[in-house]
Amino acid sequence: MKGDRTVSWRAVVLAVVLLVSGCAARIEASVPTYSPAPLPPGTPYPFGEVQQHAAPVTGGKVPQVSRIAVDKPYVFLTIDDGAVQQPDAPRLLRESGVHPVLFLNEIYVRGHEDYFRQILAAGATLGDHTVDHADLRGKSLAFQQKEICDDADDLQRSLGVRPVFFRPPFGSWDGNTLKAAANCGMRVSVLWTASLNDGRVDFQEGKHLRAGDIVLMHFRKTFVEDFAAFTRQSQVDGLTPVPLADFLG
């Protein structure tokens, strides 16, 4: 009798141990483990995180930049106008991981909203370039303000985003331009230090891109060749394209 009770007791203990072990295993298996997602190759930081801020609006005028003071080998791409909707552009930007600022004119966006939405979805940031690419220099404050404000309003209606970065067409501007931009809610006016034309890089200084350079490109028939020239020159000069928006706050 005593022996039978011993066997029964051992069986109960064993059953309990197995039950607890099974529960523990199931509990452990049900707890997910998390690890940070690896950054894509060549990505130096999580894009979208602000790295620097532009200077504040002062005296009613937005600050103006043509290059960014950086201590790392970064270069920035901007693309203007929108006149030619090159069909490969969304794919090229998406696959390359380059995140440009698009300085668009509403006159070119109109009727092609889906195309530009695709490019924004690929990681681009929207910028203001006036409604119809007007030369602003020497014009009245009211004229300039209408061109900039109306473009921002129109882009918000058509693309769902109101830009806060501005570029004067032709790089032509005066004091009224910076005032008008501030009155329209812009945070900074952006010029450039190099440009892409017919598959080549044109430098304002020297023969190479430098860290902090802002590069100007356009929506043209040569989009593919110009974009290839930008990525190739960036590699040659040891620079990584990163989003300009992250350095303007």
Side-chain angles (χ1 to χ4, degrees), residues 19-38:
L19 178 62
V20 171
S21 299
C23 289
R26 286 194 297 273
I27 292 171
E28 182 178 358
S30 68
V31 176
T33 56
Y34 298 97
S35 59

Side-chain angles (χ1 to χ4, degrees), residues 195-209:
S195 60
L196 296 153
N197 300 286
D198 299 322
R200 71 176 186 275
V201 184
D202 292 331
F203 307 96
Q204 289 184 358
E205 294 182 16
K207 297 181 179 179
H208 296 278
L209 292 176

Side-chain angles (χ1 to χ4, degrees), residues 89-91 93-95 98-100 102 113-126 159 161:
R91 177 185 58 80
L93 294 176
R94 185 172 59 252
E95 292 178 354
V98 174
H99 300 273
L102 312 181
E113 292 83 359
D114 287 344
Y115 173 81
F116 290 106
R117 288 192 194 105
Q118 289 180 51
I119 296 181
L120 293 175
T125 299
L126 185 60
L159 299 178
V161 181

Side-chain angles (χ1 to χ4, degrees), residues 12-101:
V12 171
V13 170
L14 179 60
V16 170
V17 169
L18 290 174
L19 178 62
V20 171
S21 299
C23 289
R26 286 194 297 273
I27 292 171
E28 182 178 358
S30 68
V31 176
T33 56
Y34 298 97
S35 59
L39 295 176
T43 305
Y45 66 89
F47 288 170
E49 290 188 358
V50 174
Q51 306 295 301
Q52 294 178 197
H53 291 271
V57 173
T58 304
K61 298 180 180 180
V62 297
Q64 186 155 258
V65 300
S66 57
R67 63 193 320 272
I68 303 297
V70 293
D71 57 5
K72 294 181 173 63
Y74 296 157
V75 66
F76 309 96
L77 180 65
T78 61
I79 311 178
D80 281 14
D81 302 350
V84 177
Q85 295 82 42
Q86 213 291 335
D88 289 328
R91 177 185 58 80
L92 287 174
L93 294 176
R94 185 172 59 252
E95 292 178 354
S96 69
V98 174
H99 300 273
V101 176

Side-chain angles (χ1 to χ4, degrees), residues 5 19 75 102 115 119 126 140-141 151 156 167 218 238 241:
R5 286 197 299 272
L19 178 62
V75 66
L102 312 181
Y115 173 81
I119 296 181
L126 185 60
S140 69
L141 177 62
D151 193 47
Q156 183 173 23
R167 170 169 284 162
H218 291 84

Side-chain angles (χ1 to χ4, degrees), residues 138-156:
K139 303 297 195 304
S140 69
L141 177 62
F143 175 91
Q144 298 197 42
Q145 190 164 306
K146 181 172 178 55
E147 280 284 339
I148 300 170
C149 288
D150 284 2
D151 193 47
D153 293 342
D154 289 341
L155 291 175
Q156 183 173 23

